[in-house]
Amino acid sequence: MEQSRGCYYSLPGAGTLLGVIAGALEVLLPRMPGLGFGGTSGGGLVALALAKGMTAPEVGDLLETLLQRRDLLDKGWPFDQSPGLYRGARIEGFMREVFGPARMGDLRMPARVCAWDSWTREPVVFCSAAHPEVPVWRAARATMAIEFFFDLVRGREDNARLYGDGGLVVNVPHGLWDDKEEPTVGLRFSHQQRTFAVADLIASGKGNSHPEKVQPVRTWGAMVPAVAATALSTASASWPSKKAEFREVVLDTRADGMAFGLSEAEAVNRRESGRSAGRRAFVSVVG
């Protein structure tokens, strides 16, 4: 892949690891300009902001502000007469501030974000070319509406269908731009499943596998994030790219991806870890 050649980007679901993605793109985009941006969940938010015309450093600054806001975190749990872990209404307000009244057709660059239709139980893609009437904030809110933590959301004012986080089905959407001839660069976190091997899955059924990963589930409060984390990891293997010119950038981090209210130092550290990953990956991506 030539260094100056433009490409499409697919960005993974990230939870609150958004700063890692933004940091990697600060390194990659100047070398491989984006022709269009797509993603799932937090990666979808980054994609929409870039398609709106923001630079990667501007997106990084925006995310550092967002992730340090403690008012977005709630201590309750859903389905237990409580609002849930995250304050969806406040995050919705944040989306409205960022994107204003813009609709998908107003975006400066092509954009696609993944969600799922709760009425049909199928994955969907909101596309700036095919769905120009959809408000950008609604597409952002839908792709980030992670099950168990946020309410689902309408994609349009005049349609009652409810959409949720595409991470449930296509958390790493590498095939999002397979209908385009130009190369795709896909980002993935190292903890997200790339593919399945039957021998590994059988070994995991013994009941004593992966002791280093064990986090006991003994309460309802522990079960909910366990279900969400499993969905967001295993759904990663469901949409590989079939392009000959596809390159993957793997982002390695052990940080908690489910907590708002980060310290300034932690937010900066995540962004820098993304920059480091981008620098390490660049040689292999263009090779």
Side-chain angles (χ1 to χ4, degrees):
M1 188 183 298
E2 297 177 5
Q3 178 170 335
S4 60
R5 189 177 180 186
C7 58
Y8 288 91
Y9 281 85
S10 65
L11 309 177
T16 59
L17 299 174
L18 297 171
V20 183
I21 293 177
L25 291 174
E26 286 183 43
V27 175
L28 295 173
L29 282 174
R31 296 165 171 83
M32 294 176 291
L35 302 174
F37 301 95
T40 294
S41 194
L45 172 61
V46 175
L48 291 170
L50 292 169
K52 182 178 182 289
M54 297 180 69
T55 66
E58 288 172 339
V59 173
D61 292 343
L62 175 72
L63 296 177
E64 284 189 8
T65 300
L66 171 66
L67 297 177
Q68 291 177 61
R69 285 181 54 175
R70 296 183 179 275
D71 64 317
L72 300 179
L73 181 65
D74 190 5
K75 298 302 183 183
W77 289 100
F79 312 126
D80 189 27
Q81 291 77 50
S82 58
L85 184 60
Y86 301 130
R87 297 186 185 277
R90 294 189 181 179
I91 291 179
E92 179 177 309
F94 176 82
M95 301 300 176
R96 287 177 177 268
E97 291 176 10
V98 172
F99 297 111
R103 298 181 181 270
M104 293 289 282
D106 299 325
L107 294 173
R108 296 183 182 181
M109 303 187 71
R112 296 174 176 177
V113 295
C114 303
W116 72 282
D117 184 338
S118 66
W119 286 27
T120 65
R121 283 71 163 173
E122 292 182 340
V124 301
V125 170
F126 289 113
C127 174
S128 58
H131 312 125
E133 78 286 358
V134 172
V136 179
W137 77 264
R138 286 186 180 273
R141 177 70 174 80
T143 193
M144 293 184 66
I146 179 173
E147 292 68 32
F148 300 120
F149 299 107
F150 290 120
D151 292 333
L152 303 185
V153 65
R154 292 183 178 187
R156 300 167 175 83
E157 294 92 336
D158 60 350
N159 189 304
R161 288 199 183 194
L162 296 174
Y163 298 91
D165 194 327
L168 183 68
V169 284
V170 283
N171 200 36
V172 181
H174 283 339
L176 192 56
W177 299 104
D178 273 10
D179 59 333
K180 303 294 184 181
E181 294 182 0
E182 294 82 2
T184 292
V185 172
L187 277 61
R188 175 176 66 86
F189 286 96
S190 58
H191 65 268
Q192 293 170 325
Q193 191 76 27
R194 182 178 187 180
T195 186
F196 295 115
V198 66
D200 293 338
L201 298 182
I202 291 173
S204 293
K206 294 180 179 179
N208 59 359
S209 63
H210 307 298
E212 75 284 358
K213 297 182 179 180
V214 168
Q215 299 180 51
V217 175
R218 299 190 175 96
T219 65
W220 177 257
M223 183 277 291
V224 174
V227 171
T230 300
L232 299 183
S233 175
T234 57
S236 306
S238 61
W239 200 0
S241 175
K242 297 179 180 179
K243 280 187 178 181
E245 287 194 273
F246 172 79
R247 298 293 184 272
E248 184 178 65
V249 175
V250 179
L251 306 173
D252 189 14
T253 178
R254 292 176 176 82
D256 180 4
M258 302 296 285
F260 279 104
L262 302 180
S263 68
E264 181 178 358
E266 176 61 16
V268 171
N269 179 65
R270 294 188 184 197
R271 189 171 175 180
E272 182 52 41
S273 77
R275 293 184 183 121
S276 298
R279 287 190 287 267
R280 290 193 303 270
F282 179 66
V283 174
S284 62
V285 168
V286 301

